[in-house]
Structure formats: C-alpha cells, structure tokens
Amino acid sequence: MPEQTSTEQRHVVVRILMHPVAWLVIGVIGVFAASGVVGGLSKAIPVPPVGAAIISAAALAVYWLLMRFVARRRTPELSGNSGRELFIGIGIGAGLLLASLSIVSLSGGYNFTWIANGDALWRVLGATLATAVVAAVVEELLFRGIFTQAVERLGGTWVAVVLSAVLFGFIHGSNPGSTLWSNIAIALEAGVLLAAVFIWRRSLWAVIGLHFAWNFLLAISGIPVSGTKTDGLFRTTTSGADILTGGNFGLEASIVPVVLSLAISAAVLVAAYKRGNIVSFKNRAALEQLR
C-alpha cells in the first residue's frame, strides 16, 4: 500500500508540473537564472560574440530540458530547418526596419552621418552583435517559447497573441524614455508581429531571427533600441514630430513601424490560418499535433 501511495503521489506531481502554468513559472525562472549566471561568468571572455553564444546555448539548453522533463512535450519549435527559419525571420525583421528607416528619413525625420572607422568599426559590430543575439534568444524563449505556448494551451491562439503582445509591450515600461505610447507601440509593432510569425511558422528560430535583425540593424544605425542608446556606426540626428521619429525612445515609438508591422502581422496571421495553425479554445488539444 505505501508503495502504491508513493506512485500515485509521483503521478500527481508529474501532472501538476505538466500544467502550462507550472512550466511557465519554472521556465521563466530557469531561463532567467541560466542566462544571468552564465552571463556573469562569460564577462571574462574578451570576445563579446563568443560570450553571447555561450549565454544563448545555456538558455536554449534550459528551455529544452524544461519542455522535455517538466512539460513532457516535444520541441518541434526548435527542430526542422533552423537555417531556413532564421533566414525568413531575418528577412522580415530587416525588411521592416529598412522600410521604416527609409520612410522616416525621406520624411525628413532622420539624418545619418558615418562615424565608425578602424578599430571602432569592429568594436561596435562585435558588441552590438553580442547584445542583439542574447536579447533575441532569451526574450524569444521567454515570450514566444514559454509564455505564448503556455497561454495558448490555456485559452487558444488569439488569447495567447493578445496577452503576449500586451506583456511584451508593457514590460518595456522601465526602459529609458518610455511612455504609455511607446509601450503601446512596442506591443503592436513587435509583440503582435513576433507572436504572429511564431504562430505562422511554429518555429522559435524564425522569431529569434526577426528579433535579432531588428535590434542589430537599429543599434548600428545609431538610433536607441527601446530607449537604450549604444554606440552605432552612424551619428543619427532627428527632426520633426516625435510621432514620426519616435523621439528620445527611438524608432520603436514612431507610428511608421507600427502601421507597417500591423500590415505584415495581418498577412502573416492569414497565412497561419490557412496552414491550420490557429487553434480555438475548444480545440486546444490539437496544439500537440502542430509543426
């Protein structure tokens, strides 16, 4: 009898851990902890991109272990043709960023002056690459890998898209120069688009690529990324209304990428619907069969 009771207790614990809320909480703590600890240790590495690769690998390992041994599910979002998915994501991110910059610049909002030469060029590229890689990997594992998938299993695809977008926008509220509008803008242009692309592709590599391309190209252009200013390859000056340029917060608070991103998101969600990747609340069990 005691042995049977112990077995039943283990089954109860397993069922609790497999609940989306449980692995959401454990996953967020685990990925944050792993990236923080490994990030601290990697500061001794003189080449920033190498340190970034180590942090990213640690975060990915924790995510895989979480899904395999806590959630007890496969990880199709990390399998498949990762190179192709990265390319798709990078293409969307780069296209959106370049289109937004072009529209704002042609409207007189931005003026660029090249300032990086010699050692400064490689220093800026290395540091920016490292920062963009870590941000893309860690944030996408947390928001699209863990949060979006957990909420989708609780309330269906549309609830997951909306809640993940809102959370993604307002978690940037502590960034320098943030305002209510900048939070809303990030929720609409980044939160919705990243969730939409994830639902369409069912691939974390696609959203990691998109996130990376946006942050990397924006940073080297000399424009603040979500309010944070770093060294870029250009000195960028702004003129005109903040609604066009984004003001001190940067391009992400401009109406231009918001409009462009929502248009792309609409097209992407239509494609996701056609692929059968949008799941209703009543049909949540079908999520385990999706690629």
Side-chain angles (χ1 to χ4, degrees), residues 226-249:
S226 301
T228 301
K229 184 74 170 68
T230 58
D231 292 336
L233 302 181
F234 300 86
R235 179 186 297 110
T236 304
T237 56
T238 63
S239 61
D242 286 354
I243 194 65
L244 173 66
T245 67
N248 293 331
F249 193 79

Side-chain angles (χ1 to χ4, degrees), residues 68 72 101 112 135 145 153 271 291:
R68 177 66 180 83
R72 302 296 180 96
L101 284 180
F112 300 96
R153 281 158 176 76
R291 265 273 318 133

Side-chain angles (χ1 to χ4, degrees), residues 195-211:
V197 170
F198 178 73
I199 298 302
W200 171 42
R201 304 304 303 174
R202 291 289 168 180
S203 169
L204 281 171
W205 299 115
V207 287
I208 286 172
L210 193 165
H211 199 144

